[in-house]
């Protein structure tokens, strides 16, 4: 786990942000040729504009139609298959309704306060043209390892992540920036992993150990710096912020007199869990039902 974290964040430290952003930008031609993904491209449009009246909740459902599922769940409730004809958008009732000039037929209806933008309509049309493939929520889909792309400058690649980034850069006609100076690399790495710059002493020690290699990943000094930062208690403190923000954690009430809350044990629990590389399933179970576990420890409670 630590090695995986280190490799991912090591890459972020090596590739300049401007290059990474540019490399991830699609051209208009690439977007047009790309196969749409239901979870990423289509479901957000349907969820924002259609699911309130044609979704899971029977209390708000209209026309006994559900667009959140493809197959009809029962004889009384129809799935999207009744209004979508895969590969034939022109024959699909869904497309006819969202493009209708008749205010009485057009969906979403005017009184819903919702409307589809032209690019959203085109996305739905393209998705149907490509086969209207539905997918489960991403949390229920097992991840698969994609094939590592081939690149022209194979000598630049030091790990599979490099290959994916360089493949996109070559597609966009870009080249990697020159390798940064050692003190810059260590500063990027330190800010990425622990959110703090290296001390003067750490910089001096690193530069003393470093012998200029072809790439930073080739030298033992850089690897030792990664291991040192991953082992730092500051690592958990930085990365716990994201979880604590999502959980709306605060050390005080934040209202009127702003009185303190004595819930610091939860904050420390999250920090310690990240520093210990606690498995995610255990992390979630302990937060949802830690007090119900057999012989629950103080930390779990």
């Amino acid at each position: 786990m630590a090695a995986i974290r280190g490799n991912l964040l090591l890459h972020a430290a090596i590739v300049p942000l401007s290059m990474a952003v540019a490399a991830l930008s699609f051209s208009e031609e690439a977007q047009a040729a790309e196969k749409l993904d239901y979870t990423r491209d289509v479901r957000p449009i349907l969820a924002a504009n259609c699911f309130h009246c044609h979704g899971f909740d029977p209390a708000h459902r209209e026309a006994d139609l559900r667009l959140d599922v493809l197959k009809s769940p029962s004889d009384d409730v129809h799935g999207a298959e009744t209004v979508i004809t895969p590969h034939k958008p022109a024959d699909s009732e869904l497309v006819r309704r969202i493009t209708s000039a008749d205010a009485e037929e057009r969906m979403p209806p005017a009184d819903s306060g919702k409307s589809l933008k032209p690019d959203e309509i085109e996305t739905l049309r393209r998705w149907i043209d490509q086969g209207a493939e539905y997918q489960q929520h991403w949390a229920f889909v097992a991840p698969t390892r994609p094939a590592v792309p081939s690149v022209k400058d194979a000598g630049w690649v030091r790990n599979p992540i490099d290959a994916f980034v360089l493949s996109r850069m070559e597609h966009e006609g870009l080249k990697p920036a020159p390798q940064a100076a050692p003190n810059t690399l260590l500063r990027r790495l330190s800010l990425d992993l622990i959110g703090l710059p290296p001390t003067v002493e750490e910089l001096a020690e690193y530069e003393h150990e470093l012998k200029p290699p072809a790439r930073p990943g080739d030298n033992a000094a850089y690897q030792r710096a990664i291991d040192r930062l991953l082992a730092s208690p500051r690592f958990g403190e930085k990365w716990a912020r994201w979880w604590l923000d999502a959980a709306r954690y605060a050390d005080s009430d934040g209202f009127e007199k702003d009185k303190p809350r004595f819930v610091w044990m939860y904050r420390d629990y999250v920090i310690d869990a990240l520093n210990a590389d606690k498995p995610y399933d255990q992390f979630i179970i302990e937060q949802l039902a830690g007090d119900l576990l057999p012989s629950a420890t103080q930390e779990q409670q």
Side-chain angles (χ1 to χ4, degrees):
M1 180 67 177
I4 294 173
R5 290 187 316 193
N7 284 336
L8 290 173
L9 292 164
L10 166 60
H11 176 72
I14 295 173
V15 180
L17 180 60
S18 58
M19 278 292 193
V21 172
L24 294 175
S25 299
F26 281 97
S27 64
E28 292 182 3
E29 294 81 3
Q31 291 183 29
E34 181 196 17
K35 181 173 176 60
L36 293 170
D37 180 86
Y38 172 76
T39 301
R40 182 192 65 209
D41 304 310
V42 177
R43 194 179 190 281
I45 298 174
L46 297 177
N49 297 280
C50 309
F51 285 177
H52 180 73
C53 296
H54 302 296
F56 180 82
D57 187 0
H60 295 99
R61 189 179 301 142
E62 300 288 343
D64 295 325
L65 174 64
R66 287 183 62 175
L67 295 178
D68 61 317
V69 292
L70 178 62
K71 298 295 183 181
S72 300
S74 68
D75 293 336
D76 300 326
V77 179
H78 309 295
E81 63 182 354
T82 59
V83 293
I84 290 176
T85 305
H87 303 292
K88 296 180 179 179
D91 296 340
S92 298
E93 180 68 9
L94 175 67
V95 174
R96 191 184 74 81
R97 287 300 194 98
I98 64 177
T99 58
S100 176
D102 187 341
E104 295 296 323
E105 287 196 329
R106 186 170 59 249
M107 291 290 162
D111 60 5
S112 70
K114 304 178 184 296
S115 63
L116 289 169
K117 300 175 183 177
D119 62 322
E120 293 176 328
I121 293 175
E122 177 60 16
T123 294
L124 294 176
R125 189 200 65 76
R126 284 179 52 215
W127 171 64
I128 294 174
D129 186 56
Q130 293 176 359
E133 180 183 351
Y134 269 74
Q135 297 169 336
Q136 285 184 297
H137 188 279
W138 63 266
F140 300 106
V141 179
T144 57
R145 185 181 295 276
V148 178
S150 299
V151 294
K152 298 176 183 176
D153 187 8
W156 187 84
V157 175
R158 289 295 181 269
N159 61 60
I161 298 173
D162 285 349
F164 284 95
V165 173
L166 185 59
S167 175
R168 175 58 56 78
M169 295 177 79
E170 291 180 345
H171 176 77
E172 299 293 340
L174 301 171
K175 293 183 178 180
Q179 179 179 311
N183 60 343
T184 301
L185 286 174
L186 185 62
R187 179 179 174 83
R188 290 176 184 170
L189 182 67
S190 187
L191 290 172
D192 276 343
L193 291 177
I194 66 172
L196 296 170
T199 64
V200 173
E201 292 76 17
E202 288 168 344
L203 278 171
E205 181 181 355
Y206 176 69
E207 291 180 337
H208 176 71
E209 292 181 348
L210 190 62
K211 295 180 180 180
R215 291 287 301 278
D218 294 338
N219 66 82
Y222 198 79
Q223 294 296 332
R224 283 195 294 272
I226 293 172
D227 293 338
R228 173 178 60 80
L229 293 168
L230 288 175
S232 169
R234 306 291 88 79
F235 177 87
E237 291 172 4
K238 180 195 174 179
W239 293 99
R241 288 191 307 114
W242 303 99
W243 188 272
L244 293 171
D245 283 349
R248 294 176 173 83
Y249 175 87
D251 285 316
S252 62
D253 290 334
F255 181 73
E256 195 185 10
K257 298 179 180 62
D258 198 23
K259 296 180 179 179
R261 292 175 177 173
F262 298 98
V263 290
W264 53 267
M265 288 188 71
Y266 175 68
R267 176 196 64 206
D268 288 0
Y269 164 83
V270 175
I271 293 172
D272 292 343
L274 282 162
N275 280 330
D277 272 346
K278 180 169 290 190
Y280 185 69
D281 56 349
Q282 182 182 347
F283 182 62
I284 295 298
I285 289 171
E286 289 179 352
Q287 291 186 73
L288 292 177
D291 57 322
L292 300 179
L293 294 173
S295 303
T297 64
Q298 176 67 56
E299 181 185 61
Q300 290 169 331
Q301 293 179 40

